[in-house]
Amino acid sequence: MIKAFLYFLFILFSLNLNAQQNLVPNGSFEEYNWCPDNLNGYFVNSAKHWFMPTTGSSDYFNSCGDVLFNVPQNYIGYQTARTGNAYAGFVSSLAPTDINYVEYLSVKFLTPLSKGKVYQLTYYLSLADSVHKNGQAQQFVSHSGVLFTKDSIFVNDFELIDEIPQLKSNENIFINDSLGWQKITFFYLANGDENYITFGIFFNLSEIQYNYNDITTNYFLEFYYYIDDVELIESSIEIPNVFTPNGDEINDFYGLNFNLTDSFNLKVLNRWGNLVFDSELAMTNYWDGKSNDENCVEGVYFYVITIGNNKFKGFFELLR
């Protein structure tokens, strides 16, 4: 009982329990520079803080806009805002010839990300009515990407941004909800120099999966998504860098404690790259500092933590 209580205290102090600020300004797109219309403009830069990093023209929709750019009915389809009266949208037209038209939207964080901190990114997508063909929505996986950058991006083109996004949607889950909003969640370990985030498609047609098979060399596969409620907060997840399994019932286990529905796996490797612990094989999420029932020696060990579709790598020190 005492051991469990002391371990609980360790976990309690290792978690950041304060309410976190959303680092994405105007994440619900409610604030606007002007109401979207044909006269003043209807691109995403109509919304405060947001901008287009390429010549692809991502859109802004608001209930104050004219009939083509209104909420819930607009020229793309019908969708109520998840929060408030506004949202943004982007289209991607991909072809087997890799001659594409792709739209992106970007925003600058309120403050730069901190090195070594884990951040939770949440946003919502809705598949627009315009992608329906013969009454069936075209469905895609492995397509939604998120790019973090130090500097703002501007590419004088409407092709794919030639960058590999740090995050991409789960390849086993179709983002195909055209009636409501589908939640996307990522965890991101920051390098410490990220100031901007960009949303869109970063993959050629050959790199994504889809369920519509009528693709010819003259056919563009087009899909449009609304996006709303973008939030980036510092996560309560913290990865310990020191581990002291010395039997004093304080910090005797290496692991994480968090409330997630995502799958979790912890692997620990020694300095020679040999696996000394795998939570899936051990059927416990916490390492006791032993391998084959023998105490591991002091020194540096490496972790590979997998949370859902996200993977973190780093090292920690074992002291006794």
Side-chain angles (χ1 to χ4, degrees):
M1 179 64 73
I2 294 175
K3 184 175 183 179
F5 177 71
L6 289 174
Y7 180 66
F8 170 76
L9 287 180
F10 164 68
I11 291 297
L12 181 64
F13 285 112
S14 71
L15 296 181
N16 183 353
L17 299 179
N18 296 325
Q20 298 297 316
Q21 179 190 26
N22 184 7
L23 296 180
V24 176
N26 196 21
S28 295
F29 302 96
E30 296 303 303
E31 301 176 62
Y32 53 88
N33 296 311
W34 60 84
C35 287
D37 57 37
N38 272 315
L39 180 62
N40 297 302
Y42 53 87
F43 300 147
V44 75
N45 57 306
S46 305
K48 286 187 177 181
H49 304 291
W50 292 86
F51 63 94
M52 297 174 293
T54 69
T55 57
S57 53
S58 48
D59 302 318
Y60 179 55
F61 304 94
N62 193 302
S63 60
C64 71
D66 67 20
V67 63
L68 294 179
F69 315 105
N70 200 266
V71 172
Q73 184 69 55
N74 48 65
Y75 83 101
I76 295 297
Y78 182 96
Q79 184 56 269
T80 58
R82 186 179 181 275
T83 297
N85 303 292
Y87 46 73
F90 58 95
V91 69
S92 296
S93 297
L94 306 180
T97 56
D98 291 339
I99 301 174
N100 308 301
Y101 173 81
V102 186
E103 296 179 348
Y104 298 91
L105 56 161
S106 298
V107 68
K108 184 179 181 180
F109 298 130
L110 293 174
T111 59
L113 304 192
S114 299
K115 181 178 177 61
K117 293 289 187 181
V118 179
Y119 292 85
Q120 180 175 327
L121 173 66
T122 304
Y123 59 98
Y124 294 81
L125 296 178
S126 180
L127 185 65
D129 295 335
S130 64
V131 302
H132 282 65
K133 188 176 182 65
N134 299 325
Q136 183 176 1
Q138 297 167 9
Q139 302 171 353
F140 301 88
V141 298
S142 174
H143 73 277
S144 178
V146 181
L147 177 68
F148 293 84
T149 55
K150 177 181 179 180
D151 302 313
S152 62
I153 295 175
F154 181 74
V155 180
N156 190 26
D157 198 348
F158 49 73
E159 265 281 357
L160 292 166
I161 290 179
D162 188 21
E163 298 280 353
I164 298 175
Q166 292 91 339
L167 306 175
K168 66 176 182 178
S169 56
N170 192 320
E171 297 181 2
N172 298 314
I173 298 177
F174 285 96
I175 301 180
N176 60 350
D177 191 343
S178 59
L179 299 178
W181 293 90
Q182 196 159 342
K183 184 178 182 180
I184 310 295
T185 302
F186 293 111
F187 290 89
Y188 177 67
L189 182 62
N191 293 319
D193 59 356
E194 300 92 335
N195 289 296
Y196 294 86
I197 190 169
T198 298
F199 297 86
I201 307 302
F202 296 83
F203 314 104
N204 286 306
L205 184 61
S206 60
E207 299 174 292
I208 67 172
Q209 300 180 57
Y210 46 86
N211 75 332
Y212 187 70
N213 297 318
D214 185 18
I215 305 298
T216 68
T217 56
N218 297 318
Y219 182 82
F220 276 84
L221 186 65
E222 181 173 280
F223 49 102
Y224 194 106
Y225 283 97
Y226 300 123
I227 182 171
D228 202 1
D229 287 347
V230 181
E231 180 184 65
L232 183 75
I233 60 174
E234 187 178 322
S235 173
S236 60
I237 298 173
E238 293 187 1
I239 302 175
N241 56 15
V242 176
F243 172 41
T244 59
N246 54 14
D248 65 357
E249 299 184 339
I250 299 176
N251 197 14
D252 278 345
F253 296 89
Y254 188 84
L256 303 176
N257 189 15
F258 50 88
N259 295 317
L260 288 177
T261 57
D262 287 313
S263 60
F264 170 81
N265 178 253
L266 166 66
K267 288 182 171 62
V268 178
L269 301 92
N270 62 22
R271 67 181 65 187
W272 297 281
N274 299 320
L275 183 70
V276 297
F277 176 78
D278 187 330
S279 64
E280 185 176 356
L281 298 176
M283 293 185 291
T284 175
N285 288 338
Y286 306 105
W287 184 44
D288 61 2
K290 296 182 179 181
S291 180
N292 297 322
D293 293 326
E294 296 289 334
N295 287 336
C296 291
V297 299
E298 291 186 322
V300 174
Y301 289 80
F302 299 89
Y303 64 79
V304 180
I305 295 175
T306 304
I307 304 173
N309 199 41
N310 306 272
K311 184 172 291 186
F312 308 103
K313 298 180 180 180
F315 63 89
F316 63 94
E317 188 173 7
L318 189 157
L319 301 173
R320 294 191 186 277

